[in-house]
Amino acid sequence: MTPHSPASRGPSVGRRSVLGAAGAAAVASAVAGGAAPASAAPSRGRPRALPGGGDLGPNVLVFDPSTPDIQARLDEVFRQQESAQFGTGRYALLFRPGTYHGLNAQLGFYTSIAGLGLSPDDTTINGDVTVDAGWFNGNATQNFWRSAENLALVPANGTNRWAVAQAAPFRRMHVRGGLNLSPTGYGWASGGYIADSRIDGQVGPYSQQQWYTRDSAVGSWLNGVWNMVFSGVEGAPAQSFPNPPYTTLDTTPVSREKPFLHVSGSEFRVFLPEKRTNARGTTWGNGTPRGTSLPLSQFYVARPGVTAATLNQALAQGLHLLLTPGIYHVDRPIQVNRPGTVVLGLGYATIVPDNGVTALRVADVDGVRLAGLLIDAGPVNSPTLLEVGPAGASRDHLANPTTVQDVFVRIGGAGAGRATTSMVINSRHTIVDHTWVWRADHGTGVGWETNRADYGVVVNGHDVLATGLFVEHFNKYDVQWYGQRGRTIFFQNEKAYDAPNQAAIQNGPVKGYAAYKVGDGVTAHEGWGLGSYCYYNADPTIVQHSGFAAPNRPGVRFHGLLVISLGGNGQYEHVINETGAPTSGTSTVPSTVMSYP
């Protein structure tokens, strides 16, 4: 989203009614890591072994119910982060198990809040975890990069406000009341993602354009705007796309929840939830979740300033990686070669590749877990930013797939960045569970050639599943899917706003590059709840042939597709291939296809 989008241009675009609006300083806290560091005597010609465990650093704040002035410390972080959209601050706010009273944790940019129990109900806040949009005049379309995990909330007025946009997951949360997904005043909002959560009362999206909820339970769901998708959600509304625009799957085919930090006594540990098939409801509703727990002594606890060589040494030693909040510059790829390796970031730990390298590479091995990371392209073009499996990867990982969860990619915005392709998935059976891959449309270092990024996500591996796929603004294709038997549940896209003219996006004889392209050789693919929007503000006369392109064969199937012209700034001729009515005029009304072919 952008300040130049119809979300901030005022009511002349006529979007407020379409959206269903109901009314018109650094804080420091050193934290002990728990387990004793591993040590080894150096051998001749080899570096000294790196220790596991240790201190979580100054930007991880750990509270317990006896901590004085918790609210003041929360407020101080929020004052610093509220409008720091492209700032360098990164924070994790962690709450030990217990009950907390009278708190309102307002979350700004690059701020994560989480409980440290094995279940959300171990850590109860009688109060709120709030995201609102006062910093942006009631417009929530830029409330990116913040998260809430593993807490129970008893909202002060019965309903918690979580008015977010992309890259703002709400995971393993128990709201003992309702959840309002819109900002105060019901301004524009563009989210969002919920997983493994229980909301006892009603979820009110109000002005939220699109939303995906997975493996959760809700008391009820109030409304829908353009694209509301549910899989494995108890209490979800019935399938009814396009009116109301609910795409509902009874279960999620495969899921494995994100790793999370927890405490056992005074020791920090990392819990690794187990894989589920045909999942429905939360993992924690019947007590302790199923999975394994690793001591922090098995992790190299990284701090900003560490080199890629040191991170790779830690991985080669057999340690996992825990990246504490901050920005990490790497002059070579972080290379994950060992099966079962965990790379977990806290507080939106950010990796910046220097000199055009790839930020992170994973070998073709079982069970790697990448979670909680922001990869920010550098000024020298990187061919790729994240690569899961090498080219030609072919091993079967059905029993123990790699997961990519809350891993976000950004090209531009915080400064000039360039990458030919952002995320490449080569390994079979990989699960991409909630990502936002974004070529920036606002901020610093933004322009059609300035932050050039031709391709967002490329999937070459077979049997890959994406649950919550947000990919936006790429110069050419946003998603290209060449692997067989791929599946996507929920896709949200905006085409690049800044295309200077029709010629700039011409794809041979085709007008524009599809947002989501399935390769011509694919014989089996399926998608549910996919939307693409155009807002060609540099040249509103641009025409996009279709939002989606795929082989026309029985094994390639889509359910619940839509395209939208935002205020008439550019138009689509079709939804998918030659199917679906064109958008027209300035009414910002979706053109939909219920099923294809």
Side-chain angles (χ1 to χ4, degrees):
M1 291 297 164
T2 172
H4 304 298
S5 75
S8 60
R9 290 172 69 93
S12 61
V13 177
R15 208 166 152 203
R16 186 174 300 274
S17 60
V18 172
L19 294 174
V27 181
S29 174
V31 182
S39 61
S43 60
R44 190 180 301 252
R46 293 182 182 178
R48 182 182 296 272
L50 295 167
D55 189 282
L56 296 183
N59 287 18
V60 176
L61 283 64
V62 179
F63 305 105
D64 64 51
S66 66
T67 303
D69 301 323
I70 296 175
Q71 187 65 54
R73 300 175 80 184
L74 298 175
D75 290 346
E76 188 173 353
V77 173
F78 179 64
R79 281 193 297 271
Q80 178 179 319
Q81 300 300 116
E82 180 183 11
S83 58
Q85 180 171 180
F86 298 110
T88 58
R90 304 285 188 274
Y91 289 93
L93 313 174
L94 305 181
F95 287 75
R96 292 182 181 274
T99 302
Y100 300 78
H101 297 282
L103 297 181
N104 181 17
Q106 299 181 82
L107 299 188
F109 287 97
Y110 314 109
T111 305
S112 298
I113 189 170
L116 289 170
L118 277 175
S119 166
D121 289 327
D122 293 340
T123 311
T124 299
I125 292 178
N126 287 299
D128 297 84
V129 171
T130 301
V131 178
D132 208 342
W135 74 278
F136 200 44
N137 300 313
N139 178 345
T141 60
Q142 292 183 29
N143 281 349
F144 312 138
W145 304 307
R146 63 202 75 196
S147 67
E149 296 185 48
N150 206 27
L151 292 165
L153 305 178
V154 184
N157 70 353
T159 300
N160 188 80
R161 186 181 301 279
W162 185 255
V164 297
Q166 289 80 4
F170 197 79
R171 288 185 182 269
R172 293 178 55 77
M173 296 289 286
H174 185 188
V175 181
R176 299 177 193 162
L179 188 64
N180 183 344
L181 303 179
S182 72
T184 300
Y186 303 98
W188 291 299
S190 176
Y193 175 91
I194 293 171
D196 200 23
S197 295
R198 176 177 292 276
I199 293 88
D200 292 346
Q202 184 176 74
V203 179
Y206 298 105
S207 54
Q208 280 287 353
Q209 296 164 342
Q210 67 276 320
W211 200 275
Y212 175 49
T213 307
R214 177 182 64 71
D215 299 355
S216 294
V218 299
S220 61
W221 192 272
L222 180 63
N223 72 298
V225 178
W226 292 337
N227 191 26
M228 304 280 126
V229 180
F230 309 84
S231 68
V233 179
E234 298 168 353
Q239 168 71 32
S240 58
F241 187 89
N243 187 27
Y246 298 146
T247 300
T248 303
L249 289 75
D250 286 342
T251 61
T252 303
V254 187
S255 60
R256 189 174 68 193
E257 297 304 329
K258 177 176 174 281
F260 62 91
L261 204 63
H262 71 104
V263 291
S264 177
S266 62
E267 179 190 10
F268 283 99
R269 301 179 68 90
V270 174
F271 192 83
L272 308 180
E274 70 175 22
K275 187 186 79 169
R276 298 200 292 169
T277 57
N278 298 317
R280 183 171 173 84
T282 68
T283 63
W284 48 269
N286 295 319
T288 303
R290 298 174 64 90
T292 57
S293 180
L294 303 179
L296 207 62
S297 59
Q298 294 184 20
F299 286 77
Y300 178 71
V301 179
R303 303 277 288 273
V306 69
T307 65
T310 299
L311 296 174
N312 284 332
Q313 181 191 342
L315 290 167
Q317 280 180 212
L319 293 171
H320 307 280
L321 295 184
L322 183 71
L323 303 186
T324 63
I327 298 174
Y328 297 76
H329 283 265
V330 296
D331 62 356
R332 66 197 70 179
I334 300 169
Q335 182 68 50
V336 179
N337 293 325
R338 181 171 52 89
T341 300
V342 180
V343 181
L344 176 62
L346 301 180
Y348 285 82
T350 302
I351 303 170
V352 182
D354 294 330
N355 303 318
V357 302
T358 296
L360 182 60
R361 284 193 176 125
V362 180
D364 192 17
V365 296
D366 274 356
V368 172
R369 305 181 196 227
L370 310 179
L373 303 170
L374 173 60
I375 298 174
D376 207 356
V380 178
N381 185 74
S382 293
T384 60
L385 294 173
L386 172 64
E387 185 180 274
V388 179
S394 60
R395 294 180 181 173
D396 188 306
H397 303 296
L398 176 63
N400 191 9
T402 285
T403 46
V404 180
Q405 299 179 284
D406 300 347
V407 174
F408 308 117
V409 178
R410 178 173 69 192
I411 302 96
R418 296 171 68 92
T420 303
T421 303
S422 291
M423 183 184 296
V424 180
I425 308 296
N426 293 317
S427 287
R428 291 185 63 189
H429 299 105
T430 299
I431 301 171
V432 180
D433 176 45
H434 189 226
T435 188
W436 184 39
V437 182
W438 185 59
R439 175 182 168 264
D441 58 271
H442 63 274
T444 303
V446 171
W448 183 248
E449 296 295 344
T450 306
N451 63 328
R452 183 82 193 188
D454 283 351
Y455 309 111
V457 175
V458 176
V459 179
N460 297 313
H462 300 325
D463 307 293
V464 171
L465 171 65
T467 52
L469 185 60
F470 299 73
V471 189
E472 299 191 291
H473 305 309
F474 285 84
N475 294 77
K476 293 184 178 179
Y477 289 114
D478 298 279
V479 172
Q480 298 172 88
W481 205 300
Y482 299 110
Q484 297 288 357
R485 298 174 300 279
R487 291 173 292 183
T488 295
I489 304 172
F490 182 90
F491 171 69
Q492 186 264 325
N493 165 264
E494 286 181 338
K495 295 301 299 174
Y497 292 175
D498 55 346
N501 49 50
Q502 186 76 44
I505 64 161
Q506 192 69 16
N507 181 15
V510 180
K511 298 173 184 174
Y513 292 81
Y516 189 107
K517 163 71 172 175
V518 179
D520 293 341
V522 173
T523 58
H525 186 91
E526 195 158 11
W528 297 263
L530 289 78
S532 177
Y533 321 146
C534 73
Y535 182 70
Y536 287 115
N537 60 358
D539 181 358
T541 68
I542 289 176
V543 175
Q544 176 85 24
H545 178 71
S546 64
F548 303 90
N552 186 2
R553 53 175 59 105
V556 178
R557 302 182 301 243
F558 290 92
H559 318 272
L561 292 171
L562 66 118
V563 296
I564 304 169
S565 168
L566 303 180
N569 291 273
Q571 302 289 348
Y572 293 90
E573 291 181 324
H574 301 285
V575 178
I576 179 169
N577 297 345
E578 308 300 322
T579 300
T583 59
S584 63
T586 61
S587 57
T588 314
V589 172
S591 178
T592 62
V593 169
M594 291 179 61
S595 62
Y596 181 89

